[in-house]
Amino acid sequence: MSPTYRRPVRQPRAFLWLAAATVGLCQATLAELPAPRLESLFPPGARAGSTVEVTATGTDLDDGETLRFSAPGFLVKLAAATTNKAVVSVGSQVPPGLYEAAWVGRFGSSNPRIFVVGDLPELLSSSTNQSRETASRLALGTTVNGKVTAGRSDYFRFPAKQGQHVVIQCAAAEIDSRLEPSLWLFDGTGREIGRSRRTGLVDFTAVRDGEYILRIHDFLNRGGEAYFYRLSISTNPQVLYTSPLSALPGTNRLVTLYGRNLPGGKPSKELGADGKPLESLSVSLRVPGDDTGATPLGAGLQLDPSAAGLDAFSYQLPSRSGAARPILLSVAQVPVLTETEPNDTPEKAQTLSVPAEVNGLFRGRKDRDYFQFEAKKGQTWVLEIISQRLGYETDPALLVQRIARDADGKEKVSEVQEGNDTDTNLGGIDFKTSSGDPSVRVEVKEDGLYQVLVRDQSTLPNEQQVRPYRLILRPPMPDFRLTVMPATPPGPSKDSKELKSRPCLLRAGGTLALRVIASRRDGLNTPIDIRAENL
């Protein structure tokens, strides 16, 4: 008999708790009152323990009362009732990370926007740094808040010493900016030594003492109030991935971090995007959740809609120079194993006792990882890969085969099922849930040995750069996840130039249309009841 792993089944019944404070951030249309809309906050963040004047831009933000934050530790004082400015004091105890802030005024609470709490000294970008000659001087370990001008670039110069590994991060989309940052890095002679067209990340090791110049602009050369950024240049830790990527809920797990500038880190054999070895550091983590099915949904990060169904949590490595950017880890449902190399041929396939999850690494397009497991007739197994949904630049594929021998003892391999992308898109254009991660359901027709081939179809400039993945082999576990959002408003009338915004405000006596997306897994077909209580 195959070993079994029991996971308590959740009752397929969901209760949507809409407390008044929460719904106040969420809007409707009542009578003829306008609905406030917050377009941006600038600067979009501040250092913990500091005070900054924030300007809100948007529509119907009249008679401001306060900025309402999603966590305690923020003190707000309006600069003047006739302006959209607020003085925000961030408590020193507020952890670095992403928070939400909504403008509250005459017409109620606006939609929220992201406000970042950092741990580096901060300043505002100059308006005269739009050439190399006028580049703003920055010290290492600085965050600068700025906006790009259409058709122009912002320039910064900073010092670095030989051997220093410098991490340049430009936050944009994750802080509700429309900017698609293009970064260009030059040495003192003007020679290009690094670039990032859209990812907002450049890391490099200085080959000599001296000044370096960074250029930033929008990928399509757009600009304006909505094209703001937070640029950090530092020697902070940079965690690229972990091994393992997941663990069972409620357990303590030793996890190895891979990246650069890791405090106490040791050189590893794994390579980064620059083809140079990464550092590794082992840390002990407590995985949230328990074995009753009460696992966390989401993380302290902004996730792609395709990741909405994952049970995940974030981890942020602290250091004296500043915390690393948070990284996403997952909560597993079956025992977790680590890929054992070499397993790049069928003869060297790693043997698994299912159900199981394997945390592995793609090592270029030519890498092939093979796994084998025994299955019995009548069993049903779900096989899926999770990688792209965790934010990695991958396009995984899997192939399930049956291995048998004929009367002469000759091995015969037959294809059972192939998996590529997951095309199901439950949320349409508003909430795209499709991804490049495959998932297949295998109904076993015959006893025997089965083989799984896993590979990555994506292309990267450096084929040696590793990309992690989770391969899960489990029995069907009927379950569901819910995503709730304001309903999309009807389109504008014919020949109308009116741009309707999605409703996000519920007033007393009013109504609010919410869209609930139910992601049903493994054939769950029972009703899901949703109720709003204590409004």
Side-chain angles (χ1 to χ4, degrees):
M1 294 291 292
S2 299
T4 59
Y5 177 82
R6 290 186 177 276
R7 179 174 185 263
V9 178
R10 307 182 204 197
Q11 293 299 318
R13 187 174 295 272
F15 300 102
L16 182 60
W17 297 91
L18 298 180
T22 303
V23 177
L25 295 179
C26 265
Q27 174 285 90
T29 54
L30 179 66
E32 298 298 326
L33 290 177
R37 179 166 181 81
L38 180 61
E39 298 290 350
S40 66
L41 293 171
F42 190 83
R47 186 183 189 184
S50 70
T51 298
V52 63
E53 185 177 81
V54 176
T55 301
T57 59
T59 56
D60 299 310
L61 305 179
D62 309 61
D63 299 339
E65 297 176 7
T66 188
L67 268 176
R68 180 179 294 152
F69 286 85
S70 58
F74 297 85
L75 295 178
V76 179
K77 181 180 179 181
L78 291 190
T82 56
T83 65
N84 295 340
K85 296 181 182 293
V87 178
V88 178
S89 296
V90 184
S92 57
Q93 78 283 1
V94 178
L98 304 181
Y99 298 86
E100 290 187 336
W103 183 267
V104 181
R106 179 198 303 178
F107 301 114
S109 179
S110 74
N111 57 291
R113 287 296 181 186
I114 294 297
F115 188 86
V116 188
V117 174
D119 55 6
L120 298 175
E122 301 204 7
L123 52 84
L124 297 179
S125 177
S126 168
S127 60
T128 60
N129 64 338
Q130 296 181 339
S131 69
R132 291 192 186 187
E133 294 72 25
T134 61
S136 299
R137 293 185 182 274
L138 299 178
L140 275 183
T142 301
T143 295
V144 60
N145 297 280
K147 305 173 190 174
V148 297
T149 303
R152 306 297 295 271
S153 299
D154 288 352
Y155 289 85
F156 302 92
R157 61 176 70 240
F158 61 92
K161 295 182 179 180
Q162 182 178 356
Q164 272 188 321
H165 187 82
V166 180
V167 178
I168 302 171
Q169 296 176 329
C170 182
E174 62 266 41
I175 60 173
D176 295 333
S177 172
R178 296 183 64 184
L179 176 71
E180 291 185 79
S182 288
L183 306 180
W184 305 78
L185 182 64
F186 306 92
D187 63 15
T189 67
R191 181 174 63 93
E192 180 186 326
I193 59 174
R195 72 172 71 170
S196 170
R197 293 193 181 276
R198 286 186 173 179
T199 64
L201 175 66
V202 173
D203 63 281
F204 77 105
T205 301
V207 297
R208 61 177 62 88
D209 293 358
E211 280 197 329
Y212 294 81
I213 296 178
L214 179 72
R215 174 192 175 197
I216 175 174
H217 64 91
D218 179 67
F219 182 73
L220 297 177
N221 289 314
R222 299 164 299 180
E225 291 292 327
Y227 295 85
F228 51 88
Y229 59 84
R230 278 175 61 87
L231 176 70
S232 298
I233 303 177
S234 72
T235 55
N236 282 14
Q238 180 190 22
V239 180
L240 299 177
Y241 65 92
T242 70
S243 179
L245 291 167
S246 61
L248 291 172
T251 61
N252 293 313
R253 186 65 192 252
L254 190 66
V255 174
T256 301
L257 312 178
Y258 291 90
R260 300 275 168 71
N261 296 338
L262 306 182
K266 300 177 181 179
S268 76
K269 65 178 182 179
E270 308 299 353
L271 304 180
D274 56 3
K276 297 179 181 179
L278 299 175
E279 299 172 5
S280 65
L281 175 67
S282 295
V283 298
S284 180
L285 299 180
R286 175 70 179 177
V287 183
D290 53 43
D291 61 2
T292 66
T295 49
L297 304 180
L301 297 165
Q302 281 202 332
L303 304 179
D304 188 84
S306 63
L310 300 181
D311 292 346
F313 64 102
S314 62
Y315 172 74
Q316 192 169 29
L317 177 68
S319 78
R320 292 183 177 180
S321 63
R325 176 182 286 186
I327 191 166
L328 188 67
L329 293 102
S330 303
V331 179
Q333 295 177 312
V334 294
V336 178
L337 308 172
T338 302
E339 176 195 3
T340 302
E341 293 276 8
N343 64 338
D344 53 351
T345 64
E347 296 75 23
K348 298 178 181 178
Q350 181 176 347
T351 301
L352 305 177
S353 178
V354 292
E357 173 176 328
V358 183
N359 285 190
L361 296 173
F362 292 127
R363 302 175 187 273
R365 276 183 301 166
K366 296 181 180 179
D367 186 25
R368 301 289 187 270
D369 292 341
Y370 287 88
F371 304 91
Q372 292 181 349
F373 66 99
E374 294 282 350
K376 300 291 186 181
K377 181 179 179 180
Q379 289 181 333
T380 299
W381 293 101
V382 176
L383 286 76
E384 64 177 324
I385 296 178
I386 299 176
S387 180
Q388 190 179 102
R389 283 173 286 173
L390 293 174
Y392 298 107
E393 296 178 302
T394 54
D395 184 14
L398 63 83
L399 175 66
V400 183
Q401 300 170 311
R402 183 175 183 270
I403 302 176
R405 294 189 181 276
D406 58 22
D408 299 325
K410 186 177 180 181
E411 186 176 276
K412 180 182 178 181
V413 179
S414 57
E415 183 174 322
V416 177
Q417 202 158 351
E418 183 177 11
N420 287 288
D421 299 344
T422 298
D423 296 325
T424 303
N425 181 16
L426 300 175
I429 192 173
D430 293 325
F431 200 80
K432 185 179 179 181
T433 60
S434 58
S435 79
D437 290 343
S439 177
V440 299
R441 182 185 177 101
V442 177
E443 297 180 354
V444 181
K445 305 297 183 183
E446 300 177 87
D447 293 357
L449 182 65
Y450 288 79
Q451 178 174 277
V452 183
L453 165 61
V454 175
R455 61 190 178 90
D456 182 18
Q457 303 172 111
S458 67
T459 59
L460 288 178
N462 179 7
E463 279 297 312
Q464 293 178 302
Q465 181 183 352
V466 300
R467 286 93 76 192
Y469 67 86
R470 299 170 58 199
L471 169 64
I472 303 172
L473 300 90
R474 59 174 176 80
M477 296 177 175
D479 207 342
F480 69 93
R481 294 291 183 270
L482 297 180
T483 301
V484 184
M485 64 179 68
T488 303
S493 305
K494 184 178 180 181
D495 299 328
S496 172
K497 295 182 179 180
E498 176 188 11
L499 181 61
K500 295 186 178 181
S501 62
R502 190 175 287 168
C504 356
L505 173 64
L506 179 60
R507 294 190 172 97
T511 58
L512 172 65
L514 292 175
R515 182 184 183 191
V516 181
I517 300 172
S519 174
R520 297 173 180 266
R521 190 178 72 176
D522 297 346
L524 179 74
N525 60 4
T526 53
I528 301 174
D529 297 334
I530 302 174
R531 298 196 308 226
E533 299 184 351
N534 300 322
L535 296 182

